[in-house]
Amino acid sequence: SSEVDINGSINARSADFAGTITGNALEVKGASYHNVTALGTNTIDWTDGNIQYRPISQNTLMTFQAGTAKQGQTLTLYVENTNAGTSDSDVCTLYFRSGSNTGNVLFPPMSEDIKHVVNSTPGVSGRKTNVYTFVVINTGIFGSAVTGYAY
């Protein structure tokens, strides 16, 4: 077996890592980074990584895979609209679903009068990228968005 049981605190050091693991905490001294996972479908599996990416070219329903999120876990998702135009018809409406409906992913209030906003989730303009951040707290997934990157 490759598992090692350790009872107590340890310090870990290598050429690229320095940190401390104590009980239920991990402290990293220096930068940490995560690999970016390109999504092949519209299903978000939290176990695939903390940073994920999805290109879209039409209105899209993104579904969080049940049972894969952990309490306190954060996920950053950047969504690129690959439509070449910048007209209103090139904007993609984006829906997020966890459980049985899209209302289970909570965003701060945003006027539904703004075009392509559904359940306070902003759509993605043509040739633009939105960055969505999600965190799991109790039974909710809370989201925020930064919109309109030319990327």
Side-chain angles (χ1 to χ4, degrees):
S1 169
S2 61
E3 287 185 22
V4 176
D5 291 328
I6 298 172
N7 187 3
S9 299
I10 65 167
N11 288 320
R13 295 195 197 313
S14 75
D16 296 325
F17 173 81
T20 304
I21 302 170
T22 57
N24 58 0
L26 170 65
E27 175 189 344
V28 176
K29 294 179 183 174
S32 80
Y33 65 93
H34 303 271
N35 292 323
V36 176
T37 302
L39 296 174
T41 69
N42 295 331
T43 300
I44 301 167
D45 183 334
W46 293 72
T47 63
D48 286 342
N50 292 78
I51 301 176
Q52 300 186 25
Y53 160 77
R54 179 74 173 146
I56 62 173
S57 60
Q58 61 189 7
N59 295 342
T60 303
L61 171 64
M62 301 293 297
T63 302
F64 290 99
Q65 179 70 41
T68 62
K70 301 291 183 198
Q71 281 293 320
Q73 185 174 357
T74 60
L75 177 114
T76 301
L77 172 69
Y78 66 101
V79 178
E80 177 185 8
N81 181 339
T82 59
N83 287 322
T86 57
S87 69
D88 190 54
S89 63
D90 293 306
V91 176
C92 295
T93 301
L94 199 57
Y95 307 86
F96 289 98
R97 179 176 68 198
S98 176
S100 60
N101 65 60
T102 55
N104 290 347
V105 180
L106 307 172
F107 282 85
M110 181 178 284
S111 173
E112 300 289 330
D113 295 333
I114 299 172
K115 292 181 180 179
H116 306 285
V117 171
V118 176
N119 293 330
S120 293
T121 306
V124 186
S125 298
R127 298 191 318 195
K128 300 288 183 178
T129 298
N130 288 1
V131 177
Y132 299 90
T133 302
F134 302 96
V135 62
V136 178
I137 302 172
N138 295 323
T139 60
I141 297 175
F142 296 85
S144 62
V146 180
T147 62
Y149 289 102
Y151 179 69

